[in-house]
Amino acid sequence: MAGCEHLEAAADRRPEPGSRAGCEDCARLGLSEWAHLRMCTECGHVGCCDSSPRRHATEHHRGTGHPVIRSFEPGESWAWCYVDERLG
């Protein structure tokens, strides 16, 4: 995280997930075709990863400017900063 202010600021954020069942945006479309889930550390939006057909987590970043996502997969604890392209 050293050198990335976004990851440092997001380290202690624990927003309530917008969904616990899957990608919020896919669900609105009536789909369940995601590979892995990511959660926005700013607002809790749960979106599908870039290995998924619709890449909703990245789309959320582009639409909101929220810089950091965290893995929403069981047993994973990493975070990613879109702005600085850094893993934390």
Side-chain angles (χ1 to χ4, degrees):
M1 286 192 307
C4 178
E5 65 186 70
H6 305 105
L7 286 170
E8 290 172 11
D12 295 326
R13 282 194 203 119
R14 301 282 183 250
E16 187 66 30
S19 169
R20 294 195 185 275
C23 175
E24 297 176 48
D25 301 301
C26 285
R28 275 193 285 279
L29 297 170
L31 305 170
S32 59
E33 303 170 355
W34 56 84
H36 301 283
L37 298 173
R38 311 295 180 232
M39 184 179 76
C40 176
T41 61
E42 292 283 327
C43 68
H45 175 270
V46 175
C48 52
C49 70
D50 284 357
S51 295
S52 302
R54 286 166 187 79
R55 303 174 178 178
H56 285 125
T58 297
E59 182 179 300
H60 176 76
H61 159 69
R62 289 184 183 140
T64 63
H66 295 167
V68 178
I69 56 167
R70 180 175 290 125
S71 176
F72 200 58
E73 294 296 314
E76 294 183 358
S77 60
W78 58 265
W80 173 256
C81 176
Y82 286 105
V83 175
D84 296 320
E85 296 184 342
R86 294 198 55 156
L87 189 63

